[in-house]
Amino acid sequence: MSKVKIYVVHYREDDPSKCTAMKMVRMGLAIKIPPNKIPRRAIVLNPLSRTILAPEDRELAEKHGIVVIDVSWKLGLSKLSLLLKRGEHRILPFLVAANPINYGKPTKLSSLEAIVASLYILGYVDEAHKYSSIFKWGPTFIELNKKRLELYKNAKNRNEILKIQSEILSKIKINNES
């Protein structure tokens, strides 16, 4: 088990054979919990949050854990609003998916990718690699996002992460316009 407890709130909306969250649970790398049992101060990964995950969240993660909400991108985002009362909600900075369903799509991360990214950004690089190894495409996620993950991990604070993300998005926009 990790230095950081990983929790999964699972809504059973995806194909069970492809569910990265439940594979983490089956392998003893995460603990499945109901929505009403989210630890009060845990970091809840929420793509609708206004607060970006940053290295300064490391202590919070160590003390209270990280929660990934496993819902379908198509069906479940509305359920996230129901969970706003529990935990410290964080959005991940810009990253690109490597999972077979959303490969190359910005921000459409699997639960596993979200946990790997969180661990990496918080400075748990070895643990991020350990989690990524449970799917054959997992290490590709780190490779695909290596420069971004390193920049985010080495940022001094949230504002610096936002600045880095802004620079990344500006470069992408310029490249797309070329």
Side-chain angles (χ1 to χ4, degrees), residues 60-176:
L60 201 57
E62 278 187 12
K63 286 183 179 177
H64 306 284
I66 300 171
V67 180
V68 66
I69 311 297
D70 189 70
V71 293
S72 165
W73 277 101
K74 293 177 184 169
L75 305 173
L77 290 179
S78 63
K79 291 181 179 162
L80 292 173
S81 62
L82 302 174
L83 303 172
L84 292 176
K85 293 180 179 154
R86 302 195 69 87
E88 303 289 332
H89 291 248
R90 300 290 187 268
I91 187 170
L92 290 169
F94 178 85
L95 296 162
V96 177
N99 67 74
I101 295 167
N102 291 309
Y103 184 87
K105 293 181 183 173
T107 72
K108 294 267 186 165
L109 308 183
S110 68
S111 294
L112 176 74
E113 289 168 317
I115 292 299
V116 168
S118 299
L119 290 170
Y120 202 108
I121 291 165
L122 296 175
Y124 299 103
V125 176
D126 290 342
E127 292 186 24
H129 282 281
K130 175 183 167 186
Y131 276 76
S132 77
S133 72
I134 70 172
F135 280 89
K136 64 183 176 189
W137 50 261
T140 303
F141 173 73
I142 293 176
E143 290 169 31
L144 198 59
N145 292 287
K146 182 78 168 175
K147 288 180 184 173
R148 290 181 280 266
L149 288 167
E150 281 294 317
L151 289 169
Y152 299 146
K153 175 179 72 86
N154 293 318
K156 292 176 180 56
N157 55 43
R158 265 181 245 299
N159 288 336
E160 195 171 315
I161 286 200
L162 290 169
K163 183 180 174 195
I164 292 164
Q165 178 177 256
S166 180
E167 290 168 5
I168 290 167
L169 293 173
S170 291
K171 287 177 185 172
I172 290 169
K173 183 179 178 189
I174 290 168
N175 288 339
N176 285 340

Side-chain angles (χ1 to χ4, degrees), residues 3 13 15-16 18 21 24 28-29 36 43 46 56 58 74 76 92 106-108 117 134 138 142 148 156 170 176:
K3 284 183 187 176
E13 294 178 343
D15 179 344
K18 297 176 184 168
M24 287 188 286
L29 297 172
N36 64 341
I43 293 173
N46 179 348
E56 61 202 76
R58 183 180 171 114
K74 293 177 184 169
L92 290 169
T107 72
K108 294 267 186 165
I134 70 172
I142 293 176
R148 290 181 280 266
K156 292 176 180 56
S170 291
N176 285 340

Side-chain angles (χ1 to χ4, degrees), residues 6-74:
I6 305 298
Y7 299 99
V8 169
V9 174
H10 181 61
Y11 281 100
R12 299 181 187 172
E13 294 178 343
D14 292 324
D15 179 344
S17 69
K18 297 176 184 168
C19 181
T20 63
M22 290 312 294
K23 186 162 184 178
M24 287 188 286
V25 170
R26 286 192 303 273
M27 293 185 76
L29 297 172
I31 302 161
K32 184 179 171 194
I33 58 172
N36 64 341
K37 296 294 182 189
I38 292 173
R40 196 173 65 82
R41 303 251 5 253
I43 293 173
V44 178
L45 299 176
N46 179 348
L48 305 177
S49 176
R50 294 183 184 265
T51 307
I52 201 157
L53 182 77
E56 61 202 76
D57 291 314
R58 183 180 171 114
E59 187 177 330
L60 201 57
E62 278 187 12
K63 286 183 179 177
H64 306 284
I66 300 171
V67 180
V68 66
I69 311 297
D70 189 70
V71 293
S72 165
W73 277 101
K74 293 177 184 169

